[in-house]
Amino acid sequence: MANKEGLVSKVIAKLHQHKAKEFGKLKYAPNFSKAYRFVLVWDSSCSPAETKAIKEYIEYLKSQGKQVIRIIYFNVKTKEETPLVPEVNTFHVGKWDFDRTGFPKAEDLKNTLLHDTDFFISLDLSGQWQFLGMASVCKAACKVGPFNPKHLGNYDVLIKTADKHNMNQYLCDLKEHLNKLA
């Protein structure tokens, strides 16, 4: 359910930006080398190559001594339809965890997002409402997402890649930009 240019989409986009202002913007410039807690969110419909690249990036963060919380979105209506069993520090979420506008409504998801976090990183290259909703309510010091002019109010750092839909390039650019925050 990607954003369309309809009236409903414009209203929801404004709601997300308003909610992001309510929770505040960047409180401090996080230092990547001193940062500890990272929340990564992505869609389960990623290709196997993209999933492999994401796992390699998570291993890179862990090798740097970072705690990584993974939130994986499944485009299914009920929890029973989720095909995988979550691991430690992994949350499987779906449509049941969000309201109609994309804001989280499940208590465990909200608690995870409201916990003090250094970086919230969205790996959603398509701009789905659920990912914008999570970014809007997350209490992270720095929220990072793919570049889209409409997302300026939702994220603190936007990463623009040459190829809009290339996860490998996005992760390389992400690593480069975050390492500069030292």
Side-chain angles (χ1 to χ4, degrees), residues 16-17 19-20 23 103 131-138 143 154:
H16 285 235
Q17 290 179 2
K19 188 64 102 172
F23 281 89
F103 288 114
F131 293 92
L132 294 173
M134 285 189 279
S136 296
V137 301
C138 185
K143 301 171 192 174
N154 298 86

Side-chain angles (χ1 to χ4, degrees), residues 26 56 75 91 110:
L26 188 64
E56 288 172 359
N75 192 16
F91 296 91
K110 282 199 265 187

